[in-house]
Amino acid sequence: MPSSYISPISMDALSSLCNQLDENNQIQVSDYKKYHVKRGLRNEDNTGVMAGLTRICSVEGYFILDGERVPKEGKLSYRGYDINDIVNSTIEDDRFGFEEVVWILLFGTLPTANQLESLHEVLAECRALPDEFVEDIIMKQASKDIMNKMSRCIMALYSYDENPDDTSIPNVLRQSLQLIAQMPTIMNSAYQVKRRAFDDKTMFLHPIKKEQTTAEYILNQLRADKKFTREEAKLLDICLMLHADHGGGNNSTFSTRVLTSSGTDTYSAITAGLGSLKGPKHGGANLRVARQMREIMENVSDPTDAAQFRDYLVKVMKKEAGDGTGLVYGMGHAVYTKSDPRALILKENARKFAYEKGFEKEFKTLENIELLTPEVFAEVRGIEKAMCANVDLYSGLVYKVLGIPEDLYTPLFATARIAGWCAHRLEELTSAGKIMRPAYKSVSKPTEFIRIADR
């Protein structure tokens, strides 16, 4: 296990400094209202502040009528193509679809069979990391957190690039394709080293099979015996397709675009997306759903019984159970109101696997969360609100059914979402042309400066 770094700053010193910091960093909520500041870049009706334009992805969950937000069935489109059509076509044709989604997001068109085959070949050739990278960058500095390690690896790849700062479209496209291909390799290598360094378990690094799709490659690398079924790989492939992008306004994609607007390099911009996705308010929601489900199954004798389940949800919302936040994870979304198309697709495709592999009770528990939360919310909070299950409600169970460890739930999200980050970076470079610089109003008061001898 790597040795720990002991900070020379004492807790007593930190406590004193934090007290002073708190005194001088409080901003009153009333000031935000006074100066019409849209906290979190959200309008008063909770819609997002319009900060840009994109042709890459559309996320729809409501429409505005006479100034009021009216709920509607959710719709997710990549370059104008409905995600349901994309996923259903791969199921009907019995093929994998993540690589096709990568093409759609980057280039804006449906690939021909030859173009798709060429993309498969390019990604396969780019999966390997530079010589000695795993030994020098990952093994010598193991991390308990895989997302943290992935960020450090992306930044380290800057040093292996002969032309890292060139922001021309051909160079950024080259970097993007390489990073999309390398993310599964980085993720698995970081996880295997973590297993050895911190979990006292065997580390295994399998050779790359270039003929495999991204989903097949991930399962091949994660399993000690390298065995998996085509059906398992296709279920993971659906997860990758659904997580590949979600518009320009989600926190990680917006972070990537903000850094891109400054003219910085690809590695720095993508690392910004990873740092954002690591945050529990963004990419960690599927982990919270998994923990929530375990807690429910431990505290409700029969979580498939609606009456028992309902009583427990009341306690959760009253902060008498759960993690004390009053939140039911996996429910509700900033945009989607009546339905999240990603959740509908995952639920439909996960049911068979959950029942076959002995996770019927877990699946029914999630169904009860989806069914009962809106009415319990209305009763406890006194608010009638359109509320649907979001993609995180079922994605964690899918990963569990596939035997994927919780350490990799958010890293898998990032492995898919990097396709969207790269597409938005390229669009920002191509179309925007201005550095993003919103305004912040100072609410500090003029204060007389006192010379140090008189303080």
Side-chain angles (χ1 to χ4, degrees):
M1 181 182 296
S3 58
S4 299
Y5 170 74
I6 306 300
S7 173
I9 306 173
S10 71
M11 291 306 297
D12 288 342
L14 277 175
S15 178
S16 175
L17 291 170
C18 286
N19 289 336
Q20 187 167 345
L21 186 150
D22 288 341
E23 291 177 7
N24 295 288
N25 280 280
Q26 296 297 325
I27 296 177
Q28 301 300 317
V29 174
S30 58
D31 283 343
Y32 287 99
K33 295 181 179 179
K34 177 181 177 181
Y35 297 110
H36 306 289
V37 175
K38 298 180 178 181
R39 300 177 71 189
L41 293 180
R42 311 296 298 177
N43 296 312
E44 290 185 4
D45 62 359
N46 205 38
T47 59
V49 172
M50 194 68 67
L53 302 172
T54 182
R55 296 180 63 179
I56 296 170
C57 181
S58 173
V59 182
E60 304 171 36
Y62 59 86
F63 62 92
I64 304 297
L65 179 64
D66 296 329
E68 296 289 333
R69 191 162 82 152
V70 180
K72 73 172 188 176
E73 298 296 339
K75 183 177 181 180
L76 172 63
S77 303
Y78 294 160
R79 297 286 190 169
Y81 300 106
D82 191 312
I83 189 63
N84 287 284
D85 294 335
I86 296 172
V87 173
N88 288 338
S89 72
T90 63
I91 294 173
E92 292 168 4
D93 297 341
D94 189 26
R95 62 187 179 86
F96 293 88
F98 177 65
E99 287 76 15
E100 182 172 28
V101 164
V102 171
W103 181 283
I104 291 170
L105 292 175
L106 289 178
F107 305 112
T109 61
L110 294 175
T112 65
N114 287 337
Q115 288 172 330
L116 191 55
E117 180 61 29
S118 296
L119 180 61
H120 274 279
E121 293 174 0
V122 168
L123 295 178
E125 290 296 329
C126 292
R127 280 192 184 128
L129 294 168
D131 292 343
E132 313 303 327
F133 187 93
V134 173
E135 291 86 347
D136 293 342
I137 305 300
I138 302 179
M139 294 180 67
K140 290 181 180 179
Q141 296 179 320
S143 173
K144 293 180 181 179
D145 189 278
I146 309 305
M147 288 291 285
N148 173 271
K149 191 63 195 178
M150 291 171 74
S151 295
R152 290 157 65 187
C153 287
I154 296 295
M155 286 302 296
L157 285 170
Y158 175 99
S159 301
Y160 292 79
D161 191 329
E162 294 181 354
N163 199 16
D165 290 305
D166 178 4
T167 58
S168 67
I169 297 304
N171 193 57
V172 173
L173 179 58
R174 170 190 65 82
Q175 293 170 330
S176 297
L177 291 169
Q178 288 179 332
L179 289 176
I180 291 169
Q182 290 169 334
M183 279 288 274
T185 309
I186 293 171
M187 176 186 70
N188 179 67
S189 300
Y191 173 65
Q192 296 300 335
V193 172
K194 184 261 182 186
R195 278 168 50 91
R196 186 192 67 171
F198 297 102
D199 302 337
D200 196 28
K201 294 181 179 179
T202 301
M203 177 181 76
F204 46 88
L205 297 171
H206 300 313
I208 295 172
K209 290 188 175 181
K210 294 183 179 181
E211 70 274 15
Q212 291 179 328
T213 64
T214 301
E216 292 173 312
Y217 176 59
I218 290 171
L219 291 179
N220 180 84
Q221 293 295 301
L222 287 179
R223 297 187 176 181
D225 60 4
K226 298 181 285 185
K227 294 180 180 179
F228 57 88
T229 66
R230 181 175 176 85
E231 288 72 24
E232 287 178 316
K234 287 178 65 180
L235 181 59
L236 179 58
D237 182 64
I238 290 173
C239 289
L240 296 177
M241 285 191 280
L242 296 178
H243 279 121
D245 196 39
H246 211 240
N250 70 80
N251 194 273
S252 58
T253 301
F254 187 62
S255 298
T256 302
R257 294 194 74 133
V258 169
L259 265 73
T260 296
S261 75
S262 76
T264 195
D265 65 277
T266 297
Y267 303 96
S268 296
I270 298 303
T271 300
L274 275 162
S276 166
L277 197 69
K278 181 177 181 285
K281 293 182 180 181
H282 188 8
N286 50 26
L287 268 176
R288 293 191 176 191
V289 171
R291 292 166 186 161
Q292 171 183 265
M293 183 173 68
R294 282 199 300 271
E295 185 177 77
I296 290 172
M297 296 181 72
E298 290 170 0
N299 290 278
V300 179
S301 59
D302 183 7
T304 64
D305 179 79
Q308 291 185 43
F309 201 100
R310 193 178 187 285
D311 290 342
Y312 191 77
L313 279 181
V314 170
K315 292 179 181 179
V316 170
M317 291 191 193
K318 289 183 176 180
K319 302 182 181 180
E320 298 170 358
D323 62 3
T325 64
L327 299 175
V328 178
Y329 298 107
M331 292 297 298
H333 191 269
V335 179
Y336 297 127
T337 52
K338 287 189 173 183
S339 62
D340 179 341
R342 303 167 303 169
L344 296 177
I345 292 170
L346 265 191
K347 180 180 180 181
E348 179 183 345
N349 287 277
R351 185 189 301 272
K352 173 187 172 184
F353 283 87
Y355 279 53
E356 286 179 352
K357 292 182 177 289
F359 293 97
E360 180 178 348
K361 192 173 183 179
E362 285 85 348
F363 190 87
K364 288 183 176 179
T365 298
L366 296 181
E367 280 193 310
N368 266 337
I369 292 177
E370 181 180 5
L371 176 66
L372 298 173
T373 297
E375 65 178 65
V376 174
F377 182 88
E379 175 188 319
V380 175
R381 304 287 170 81
I383 302 172
E384 293 287 345
K385 179 182 179 181
M387 182 187 301
C388 65
N390 60 50
V391 68
D392 295 309
L393 186 65
Y394 290 100
S395 62
L397 180 59
V398 169
Y399 295 152
K400 187 174 183 178
V401 168
L402 291 174
I404 294 170
E406 288 188 3
D407 279 336
L408 295 181
Y409 285 12
T410 308
L412 264 175
F413 190 167
T415 297
R417 184 55 61 87
I418 190 173
W421 293 337
C422 289
H424 282 274
R425 171 167 169 77
L426 286 160
E427 185 179 58
E428 186 72 25
L429 290 170
T430 303
S431 303
K434 280 187 175 291
I435 185 171
M436 292 192 197
R437 192 199 178 284
Y440 267 66
K441 179 176 178 59
S442 173
V443 292
S444 62
K445 298 178 180 179
T447 306
E448 182 182 356
F449 184 81
I450 302 173
R451 297 178 65 87
I452 192 166
D454 300 323
R455 295 174 197 167

